[in-house]
Amino acid sequence: MKICDNNQCTGCGLCSIICPLGAITMLNDKYDFLHPVIDDEKCIKCGLCVRKCPSINIIEGCENNVAYAAYSKDESIHETSQSGGLAFLLEKHVLNCNGVVYGQAFNNQLEVSWIRIDDAKDLYKLQMSKYVQGRIDGSFKEVLNDLKKGNLVLFTGTPCQIAAILSFVPEKLKEKLLTISFVCGGVASPKNLYDQIEKLQEKNLINKSLIDNITFRKKGGGYYFRFFSNGKIIYEQDDFYSDFLIAYGEHLNLRESCYNCKYARTDRIGDLTIGDYLALDRYTTSLPRNELKKGVSLAIPTSEKGSYILQTILKDMEYEKRTTKDAALNNRRLSSPSERSLFVDTYRRLYPIYGFNKSVHKIFWKRYYWVGYTKHRIGTFIRRAIGK
Ligand SMILES: Cc1cc2nc3c(=O)[nH]c(=O)nc-3n(C[C@H](O)[C@H](O)[C@H](O)COP(=O)(O)OP(=O)(O)OC[C@H]3O[C@@H](n4cnc5c(N)ncnc54)[C@H](O)[C@@H]3O)c2cc1C
Ligand code: SF4
Ligand code: SF4
Ligand code: SF4
């Protein structure tokens, strides 16, 4: 039996949690993307997994043309968040109201997975976007326990993760559940991140046992790897030299469901959508231009709860009221999925033979490495010529 097509399954793991017979196991494919596997001997064909699957039964969203461009007034939050620090402020507010927060963080095996946070000192673990797929399957029951106890719960995640949570939680317990989904360009293969780490380790550029955090993007746009140990940067890598960032930027190694994303739509799922307010400097804006470079958050409230919490924290932000239509002009992921690279099939043929780094090199040799190599040679020549 099959629950949904492989190219639609987001790997949320909901089916494996709700199956009354425990007949579904989530297993990794060769890219470490999770897929449900059904034990036909245990399955009684009750159909619950199919009825609840959020890739088959699409959860309706809500359209709102009211949007905000905002960034935290607290410089340190703005600096350490991916865009304007909106997620951090929302999470902190919920903790101040004695609630709990669920989000995605690196664990000590450098896997991205859900964590439950009830103390603001741990919120830093959630900051910054991790562009690999994270697990949420273990979080469903904990979320339910919290809601049954009457706790206010904030769940942040990709729209497909929010769809899974909304499909799982019974209507009567949703009053105290607040869901925040991102504008989402897709999640890359977790295995490819390890491949990249292994490559850097082989070259003695990092010691992977010391790494406890990784960031993927420069503030305000563009990709850039930073590897951290105890809060200190131990290695940095520009996107031009990083096979992983090249592959992600080219949409080469996303989960297949991301190319067909059912939730990359103008009607947004959850109580609030947040993302990057891109290219704001091209518009008339009252926000100071020097702050735009550090990243500005986009917020689109899509329920009363979402509007209420957003209004509460806007006092801690510099902000401007704008429209979703205007935000979408430079942010295509508000209305459509990432385009599937023309090289995805070639890459998947090469990967088992050559591995990750060599396959990306073979595909993008001309576009990236040749140009990068030439730039490097010209730079060296100029530096030598001027004696530096
Ligand atoms: C995989 C991914 C793709 C994205 N693609 C786009 C895009 O195409 N366009 C756009 O405008 N914005 C995109 N975003 C959102 C954007 O990068 C920022 O995360 C968002 O603007 C919030 O920024 P912030 O400063 O408020 O908080 P941040 O510091 O970014 O807060 C981090 C929050 O992100 C969550 N998070 C981090 N990594 C993951 C993950 N792998 N899965 C689920 N949740 C995660 C954490 O739980 C935390 O709540 C994406 C985010 C992710 C995670
Ligand atoms: S999308 Fe989620 S619920 Fe549906 S088959 Fe995949 S893992 Fe199961
Ligand atoms: S049909 Fe029912 S028993 Fe079979 S895998 Fe799905 S939920 Fe489990
Ligand atoms: S692009 Fe769609 S399917 Fe992929 S992670 Fe984002 S929300 Fe999920």
Side-chain angles (χ1 to χ4, degrees):
M1 195 189 117
K2 211 171 184 186
I3 305 169
C4 72
D5 282 344
N6 235 4
N7 62 3
Q8 307 288 339
C9 173
T10 63
C12 69
L14 173 62
C15 50
S16 69
I17 300 296
I18 57 169
C19 173
L21 274 297
I24 305 177
T25 314
M26 297 301 291
L27 292 181
N28 281 344
D29 67 12
K30 57 175 168 291
Y31 306 103
D32 281 356
F33 288 128
L34 290 167
H35 293 272
V37 176
I38 299 180
D39 179 342
D40 285 327
E41 294 203 348
K42 286 189 185 165
C43 173
I44 51 162
K45 306 218 170 0
C46 68
L48 184 64
C49 50
V50 177
R51 285 198 301 281
K52 284 289 197 180
C53 170
S55 294
I56 299 173
N57 307 290
I58 306 304
I59 311 255
E60 294 239 325
C62 173
E63 233 169 293
N64 184 5
N65 199 28
V66 175
Y68 294 82
Y71 63 86
S72 169
K73 284 182 187 167
D74 180 332
E75 184 88 359
S76 66
I77 297 174
H78 193 190
E79 287 291 344
T80 51
S81 298
Q82 189 69 75
S83 48
L86 181 55
F88 187 93
L89 289 172
L90 292 161
E91 290 154 0
K92 197 163 145 237
H93 178 73
V94 167
L95 293 182
N96 287 342
C97 300
N98 292 323
V100 294
V101 170
Y102 287 80
Q104 298 280 318
F106 277 105
N107 63 20
N108 45 19
Q109 268 93 50
L110 293 180
E111 292 159 341
V112 174
S113 191
W114 65 278
I115 52 168
R116 177 187 182 277
I117 291 184
D118 57 14
D119 187 335
K121 76 172 178 12
D122 292 325
L123 277 184
Y124 74 94
K125 295 178 183 169
L126 301 182
Q127 282 180 295
M128 303 299 271
S129 304
K130 295 103 187 153
Y131 291 118
V132 288
Q133 183 159 41
R135 292 187 81 130
I136 59 160
D137 45 349
S139 70
F140 292 108
K141 285 188 178 157
E142 290 226 22
V143 168
L144 202 62
N145 276 344
D146 273 317
L147 291 170
K148 280 183 182 164
K149 283 185 202 151
N151 291 337
L152 173 64
V153 173
L154 170 61
F155 196 100
T156 63
T158 59
C160 60
Q161 292 174 336
I162 299 301
I165 284 292
L166 291 175
S167 175
F168 177 69
V169 173
E171 282 310 314
K172 58 177 196 274
L173 288 178
K174 280 189 181 150
E175 198 188 327
K176 287 204 152 186
L177 172 67
L178 187 68
T179 51
I180 296 180
S181 76
F182 301 103
V183 181
C184 184
V187 285
S189 146
K191 174 69 170 65
N192 290 168
L193 181 61
Y194 299 133
D195 292 331
Q196 181 72 62
I197 291 171
E198 286 298 334
K199 188 81 197 168
L200 295 173
Q201 171 93 12
E202 248 175 53
K203 291 183 173 173
N204 280 328
L205 294 169
I206 56 168
N207 177 350
K208 68 178 177 188
S209 63
L210 299 178
I211 297 168
D212 51 27
N213 196 15
I214 303 170
T215 59
F216 298 73
R217 246 179 66 190
K218 290 176 200 162
K219 289 286 294 162
Y223 299 109
Y224 198 76
F225 253 143
R226 277 190 171 154
F227 295 87
F228 291 83
S229 179
N230 282 326
K232 286 204 181 90
I233 301 169
I234 59 168
Y235 184 67
E236 295 182 309
Q237 193 178 39
D238 212 331
D239 57 351
F240 224 82
Y241 298 99
S242 162
D243 304 321
F244 181 89
L245 295 178
I246 289 172
Y248 185 70
E250 289 287 338
H251 306 163
L252 189 71
N253 59 347
L254 302 184
R255 190 179 176 103
E256 193 60 40
S257 59
C258 298
Y259 303 118
N260 310 299
C261 180
K262 297 268 172 62
Y263 292 100
R265 305 192 313 237
T266 47
D267 60 310
R268 308 294 310 173
I269 193 163
D271 296 301
L272 189 63
T273 286
I274 68 175
D276 303 311
Y277 211 117
L278 299 171
L280 195 57
D281 51 352
R282 288 188 213 152
Y283 303 109
T284 327
T285 173
S286 60
L287 299 175
R289 284 187 179 254
N290 58 332
E291 294 293 333
L292 303 183
K293 280 190 240 121
K294 295 185 202 158
V296 178
S297 292
L298 160 71
I300 308 170
T302 41
S303 77
E304 262 179 49
K305 273 189 273 179
S307 287
Y308 179 77
I309 189 169
L310 183 63
Q311 291 306 326
T312 319
I313 59 133
L314 278 177
K315 66 174 184 345
D316 298 322
M317 307 191 86
E318 299 293 348
Y319 71 94
E320 192 173 72
K321 195 170 177 184
R322 303 185 68 90
T323 64
T324 305
K325 223 173 171 184
D326 145 309
L329 288 176
N330 288 296
N331 200 336
R332 282 186 294 156
R333 300 297 82 85
L334 271 168
S335 54
S336 57
S338 289
E339 300 76 18
R340 193 176 194 271
S341 161
L342 293 176
F343 300 109
V344 171
D345 297 328
T346 312
Y347 165 69
R348 289 183 190 166
R349 268 198 311 275
L350 295 176
Y351 183 76
I353 309 167
Y354 298 104
F356 175 64
N357 300 82
K358 266 196 184 156
S359 304
V360 179
H361 277 234
K362 280 183 183 291
I363 293 170
F364 291 120
W365 167 246
K366 275 196 193 139
R367 193 177 307 172
Y368 289 94
Y369 305 104
W370 190 83
V371 179
Y373 177 73
T374 310
K375 266 177 139 181
H376 174 75
R377 291 297 297 267
I378 294 172
T380 312
F381 176 77
I382 293 173
R383 275 197 300 281
R384 278 195 193 141
I386 60 175
K388 281 197 172 179

PDB file of all heavy atoms in Angstrom, residues 1 93 125 163 165:
ATOM      1  N   MET A   1       0.837  -1.202   0.000  1.00  0.00           N
ATOM      2  CA  MET A   1       0.000   0.000   0.000  1.00  0.00           C
ATOM      3  C   MET A   1       0.874   1.255   0.000  1.00  0.00           C
ATOM      4  O   MET A   1       1.961   1.261   0.565  1.00  0.00           O
ATOM      5  CB  MET A   1      -0.866  -0.014   1.264  1.00  0.00           C
ATOM      6  CG  MET A   1      -2.009   0.969   1.214  1.00  0.00           C
ATOM      7  SD  MET A   1      -2.837   1.117   2.820  1.00  0.00           S
ATOM      8  CE  MET A   1      -2.512   2.809   3.172  1.00  0.00           C
ATOM      9  N   HIS A  93       8.142  36.267  23.304  1.00  0.00           N
ATOM     10  CA  HIS A  93       6.861  36.722  23.855  1.00  0.00           C
ATOM     11  C   HIS A  93       6.059  35.537  24.389  1.00  0.00           C
ATOM     12  O   HIS A  93       5.484  35.598  25.479  1.00  0.00           O
ATOM     13  CB  HIS A  93       6.068  37.474  22.772  1.00  0.00           C
ATOM     14  CG  HIS A  93       4.734  37.921  23.254  1.00  0.00           C
ATOM     15  ND1 HIS A  93       4.575  38.973  24.134  1.00  0.00           N
ATOM     16  CD2 HIS A  93       3.490  37.431  23.035  1.00  0.00           C
ATOM     17  CE1 HIS A  93       3.284  39.120  24.412  1.00  0.00           C
ATOM     18  NE2 HIS A  93       2.610  38.201  23.749  1.00  0.00           N
ATOM     19  N   LYS A 125      19.297  28.797  20.000  1.00  0.00           N
ATOM     20  CA  LYS A 125      19.486  27.555  19.221  1.00  0.00           C
ATOM     21  C   LYS A 125      18.624  27.545  17.960  1.00  0.00           C
ATOM     22  O   LYS A 125      18.921  26.863  16.993  1.00  0.00           O
ATOM     23  CB  LYS A 125      19.141  26.326  20.073  1.00  0.00           C
ATOM     24  CG  LYS A 125      20.073  26.143  21.250  1.00  0.00           C
ATOM     25  CD  LYS A 125      19.655  24.957  22.080  1.00  0.00           C
ATOM     26  CE  LYS A 125      20.558  24.835  23.309  1.00  0.00           C
ATOM     27  NZ  LYS A 125      20.054  23.883  24.266  1.00  0.00           N
ATOM     28  N   ALA A 163       1.313  22.223   8.250  1.00  0.00           N
ATOM     29  CA  ALA A 163       0.147  21.463   7.776  1.00  0.00           C
ATOM     30  C   ALA A 163       0.036  20.151   8.553  1.00  0.00           C
ATOM     31  O   ALA A 163      -1.066  19.730   8.933  1.00  0.00           O
ATOM     32  CB  ALA A 163       0.272  21.191   6.281  1.00  0.00           C
ATOM     33  N   ILE A 165       1.153  19.469  11.609  1.00  0.00           N
ATOM     34  CA  ILE A 165       0.729  19.745  12.994  1.00  0.00           C
ATOM     35  C   ILE A 165      -0.763  20.049  13.035  1.00  0.00           C
ATOM     36  O   ILE A 165      -1.503  19.546  13.890  1.00  0.00           O
ATOM     37  CB  ILE A 165       1.558  20.920  13.591  1.00  0.00           C
ATOM     38  CG1 ILE A 165       2.964  20.424  13.956  1.00  0.00           C
ATOM     39  CG2 ILE A 165       0.903  21.569  14.800  1.00  0.00           C
ATOM     40  CD1 ILE A 165       2.992  19.435  15.122  1.00  0.00           C
TER      41      ILE A 165
END
